[in-house]
Amino acid sequence: MRAGMAAVMVAVLAVGGCTGDDGSPGTAPSSQPPPSFAPGADGAGDPYFPTYGNGGYDVAGYDLDLRYDPKTGLLNGTANVTATATQDLSSFNLDLAGLAVSKVSIGGQPATSKAVQDELTITPAAGIVKGTSFTVTIDYGGRPEPLSNDALGDGGWLRTNDGAFALGQPESASTWFPVNDHPSDKATFALAMTVPDGVEAISNGVPGERSTAGGWTTWRWSEAKPMASYLATVVIGQYRVTTSTHDGKPLITAVPESLPANGPAARSMTLTGEIADFLVTRFGPYPFDSYGGVVIDDDRVGYALETQSRPVYGNVFFRSSTNPTVVAHELAHQWYGDSVALERWQDIWLNEGFATYAEWLWLEHKGERTTQQSFDAAFDGFDWKTPTGDPGRDQIFGDAVYQRGAMLVHALRKTIGDQAFFALLKSWPAEHRDGNATTADFIAAAERAAGRDLKGFFRQWLENKTAPTRP
């Protein structure tokens, strides 16, 4: 659905024409001082990635109307970004990497823009007053490329022989649309992607009406729940798309035509509904309006990512057999990491520790091994030198986050007891649904669930660089 165009409030900086009772010049009454306009910050201030994201506004939604030609690699179209000013703005930034902007307007009025590296600075014709809702419309295009990170790998738009895909963490979205690229600013998302007939385009959320004209097909998708920008994805190419309904909601999976129709990847995707239903018993109601999964057959993708409502899996997980545990991991993120998102990247254990523990819960549910056995296997011989609560920007995908994070979750269970623990597993995503949270928020929630102080426990598991007390 196309975002509505909101009028931009123009500040009046001078007042005239007022007179007193005697006809002399008077003073207009004013309950507020005049605005003091300033540029929004060119970063969200994350301690690990200070330049990611931007300040001065809060995005409500992205509405993209794009066209991609697999033969030329050209992407072009229009982005409507609806936001609210959180300060008096003279200008503001969006993140956009490697694509050229041809036109910008705000509320239908022309605005100017300047691109420097991956920052797009937009200057409205008049200042935007704090609290004002506005829509910036940006026409842009080019040949998107991924962003390279020596420690964390490439993220963003990757071209393929038959299409492309956009995927990556901690940044990805800025390679294919203008965005406030930090998880602290969640927003709704709508995509109309036009591709040649016979090519599939799969994205987040609920599918909309598909239309065809002149040899091109437009695929429409919408995610109505707020989403962190790195969770936005589009996968374009030759795919077998399977559509069904699960618990009254669309369940859409896609597997490349290059893989067997009934191979391990396809069979793993059929487990999506069953695994989601199991996780509901542990984490509470499923938080989104659709289910699904997409497999990518590309050696550049050696990971899976919890793209909201429709995780993407590298085929590396399905080389020889089905892999329910990776599906359990990414589906667990729909509660822990997507619905309840990070406020800062330092707290990523809140995502990965719980998703890894979901793997252990699934294995226990299937009778393969208990969560205690999974804990013992991880604990023995573990290197405790990296603290889970502050692993450093280059270790946000390391064992201190995943395995030590999962061990922390199990140790918490042993410390506060099953009744309080499983109640917490449901109350945490319910209380913070569609929002953001921090480690401090979780500690407070755990202490409420336990009815006692747990700071010593969390200090051992989050901060210490030696082995914590084994529960």
Side-chain angles (χ1 to χ4, degrees), residues 40-41 55 68 112 148 183 211 230 232 373 410 430:
Y68 180 67
T112 60
S148 180
S211 58
Y230 78 93
Q373 288 172 327
H410 187 72

Side-chain angles (χ1 to χ4, degrees), residues 95-304:
D95 301 302
L96 185 64
L99 298 172
V101 171
S102 57
K103 182 180 178 182
V104 178
S105 63
I106 299 176
Q109 300 299 311
T112 60
S113 66
K114 180 180 180 180
V116 178
Q117 295 183 332
D118 299 339
E119 294 282 344
L120 177 68
T121 301
I122 297 174
T123 303
I128 303 175
V129 175
K130 179 179 179 179
T132 301
S133 175
F134 63 95
T135 297
V136 54
T137 301
I138 303 164
D139 295 339
Y140 68 101
R143 288 184 175 84
E145 297 287 345
L147 293 169
S148 180
N149 185 302
D150 291 341
L152 303 175
D154 293 346
W157 191 277
L158 289 166
R159 189 178 178 184
T160 64
N161 292 332
D162 59 3
F165 56 87
L167 196 66
Q169 187 183 22
E171 60 179 343
S172 168
S174 63
T175 65
W176 63 291
F177 64 94
V179 59
N180 194 13
D181 208 0
H182 190 273
S184 59
D185 192 3
K186 299 172 71 174
T188 61
F189 178 81
L191 172 67
M193 177 62 77
T194 301
V195 293
D197 290 349
V199 176
E200 286 71 44
I202 304 101
S203 187
N204 308 84
V206 176
E209 181 182 358
R210 200 182 312 166
S211 58
T212 299
W216 293 78
T217 297
T218 300
W219 295 67
R220 294 178 174 86
W221 302 89
S222 61
E223 175 51 77
K225 301 295 178 65
M227 179 169 69
S229 55
Y230 78 93
L231 300 173
T233 188
V234 64
V235 178
I236 300 168
Q238 300 297 314
Y239 286 81
R240 300 186 192 91
V241 180
T242 302
T243 302
S244 60
T245 300
H246 184 79
D247 196 25
K249 300 176 180 180
L251 193 165
I252 299 166
T253 60
V255 176
E257 293 182 2
S258 59
L259 299 177
N262 193 34
R267 294 198 305 273
S268 296
M269 292 301 94
T270 66
L271 299 173
T272 297
E274 176 188 353
I275 294 172
D277 287 347
F278 165 71
L279 294 176
V280 164
T281 69
R282 299 297 187 265
F283 301 153
Y286 182 73
F288 300 120
D289 297 327
S290 64
Y291 301 85
V294 182
V295 178
I296 292 181
D297 186 16
D298 192 304
D299 290 341
R300 292 172 293 180
V301 182
Y303 57 90

Side-chain angles (χ1 to χ4, degrees), residues 376-402:
D376 291 339
F379 192 96
D380 292 335
F382 192 81
D383 184 350
W384 303 96
K385 293 178 182 178
T386 302
T388 298
D390 191 4
R393 59 172 287 165
D394 293 343
Q395 294 297 320
I396 60 174
F397 304 128
D399 285 344
V401 170
Y402 288 70

